[in-house]
């Protein structure tokens, strides 16, 4: 709905409130696997798609069972951490914990301190499969992968710099040898 400005404010501004916004972290108990990007996007645009009840994934996890009749489970004790967030989740059936954060390979998840695979959910978000029961889940950003690329970039720059110095040194050596030869040749003809 639209929130009207108070009487003392300008009437040219309106604030829109999304009554159905999902929380930062929620758990769905139904998911559909779709391998093709076009199929996923078409399904997500469909008016029948309800992100509170189901999710679209690119890969299934063996051993996890869907429960389509259940609506989303909400976590408790959501806390912010320096690199991400953690929450406690109580599930009566298997589920897929979805974090409203863009899927990125450096996003990691731990469930009860054990690293779990993070999967793309709803084409753009991140998620992790959970079995029924109580779980402490943590989503966090792990920059270690990026440090490898930084190190590789540094090594490449060093190699490039050394190559440049070698070429420069050879060129200077050739110029010196050419000058010496020209001086000898010039002395012979004088």
């Amino acid at each position: 709905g639209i929130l009207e400005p108070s009487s003392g404010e300008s009437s040219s501004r309106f604030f829109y409130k999304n009554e159905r916004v999902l929380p930062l972290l929620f758990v769905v108990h139904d998911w559909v696997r779709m391998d093709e990007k076009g199929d996923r996007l078409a399904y997500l645009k469909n008016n029948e798609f309800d992100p509170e009840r189901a999710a679209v994934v690119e890969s299934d996890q063996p051993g996890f069972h869907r429960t389509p009749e259940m609506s989303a489970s909400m976590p408790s004790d959501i806390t912010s951490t320096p690199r991400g967030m953690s929450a406690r989740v109580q599930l009566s059936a298997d589920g897929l914990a979805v974090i409203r954060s863009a899927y990125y390979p450096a996003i990691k998840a731990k469930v009860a301190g054990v690293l779990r695979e993070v999967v793309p959910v709803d084409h753009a978000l991140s998620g992790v499969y959970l079995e029924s029961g109580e779980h402490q889940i943590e989503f966090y950003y792990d920059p270690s992968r990026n440090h490898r690329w930084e190190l590789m970039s540094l090594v490449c720059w060093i190699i490039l710099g050394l190559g440049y110095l070698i070429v420069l040194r050879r060129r200077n050596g050739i110029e010196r040898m050419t000058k010496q030869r020209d001086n000898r040749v010039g002395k012979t003809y004088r």
Side-chain angles (χ1 to χ4, degrees):
I2 299 177
L3 298 176
E4 298 288 337
S6 64
S7 60
E9 296 177 15
S10 167
S11 61
S12 64
R13 291 189 181 171
F14 295 94
F15 299 93
Y16 294 92
K17 181 179 179 182
N18 184 349
E19 304 277 339
R20 296 193 51 203
V21 68
L22 291 168
L24 182 60
L25 176 67
F26 58 98
V27 180
V28 294
H29 297 279
D30 188 18
W31 51 89
V32 178
R33 178 183 174 175
M34 293 187 177
D35 297 324
E36 296 298 320
K37 176 182 177 180
D39 294 342
R40 284 191 306 269
L41 291 174
Y43 184 81
L44 292 169
K45 288 179 185 177
N46 186 336
N47 287 336
E48 293 178 19
F49 172 69
D50 182 3
E52 261 187 274
R53 298 192 68 78
V56 179
V57 294
E58 296 175 25
S59 63
D60 281 327
Q61 290 273 341
F64 290 93
H65 306 287
R66 299 170 36 232
T67 314
E69 62 277 359
M70 291 184 70
S71 58
S73 298
M74 300 304 161
S76 60
D77 301 329
I78 298 176
T79 56
S80 213
T81 65
R83 295 188 301 170
M85 63 169 293
S86 70
R88 182 164 303 285
V89 180
Q90 177 69 43
L91 303 177
S92 57
D94 292 350
L96 179 63
V98 180
I99 183 172
R100 263 190 9 226
S101 174
Y103 174 77
Y104 185 64
I107 300 292
K108 305 290 183 196
K110 286 184 179 179
V111 178
V114 177
L115 195 62
R116 291 274 184 99
E117 179 185 4
V118 176
V119 295
V121 177
D122 294 344
H123 191 69
L125 305 177
S126 301
V128 65
Y129 288 97
L130 299 171
E131 53 279 331
S132 62
E134 187 173 338
H135 303 283
Q136 181 67 34
I137 182 170
E138 178 186 7
F139 283 95
Y140 64 96
Y141 175 74
D142 180 15
S144 63
R145 185 175 190 191
N146 293 338
H147 291 311
R148 282 184 240 144
W149 288 110
E150 291 169 357
L151 181 61
M152 187 179 284
S153 174
L154 178 63
V155 167
C156 288
W157 278 109
I158 289 171
I159 290 171
L160 190 64
L162 290 174
Y164 177 74
L165 290 175
I166 290 170
V167 167
L168 192 62
R169 188 172 193 158
R170 283 188 179 168
R171 193 174 79 192
N172 287 342
I174 291 171
E175 287 176 2
R176 223 173 316 151
M177 287 175 27
T178 305
K179 283 182 184 177
Q180 289 172 355
R181 187 190 70 214
D182 288 347
N183 286 341
R184 282 192 300 249
V185 171
K187 289 180 183 175
T188 350
Y189 289 111
R190 286 190 206 165

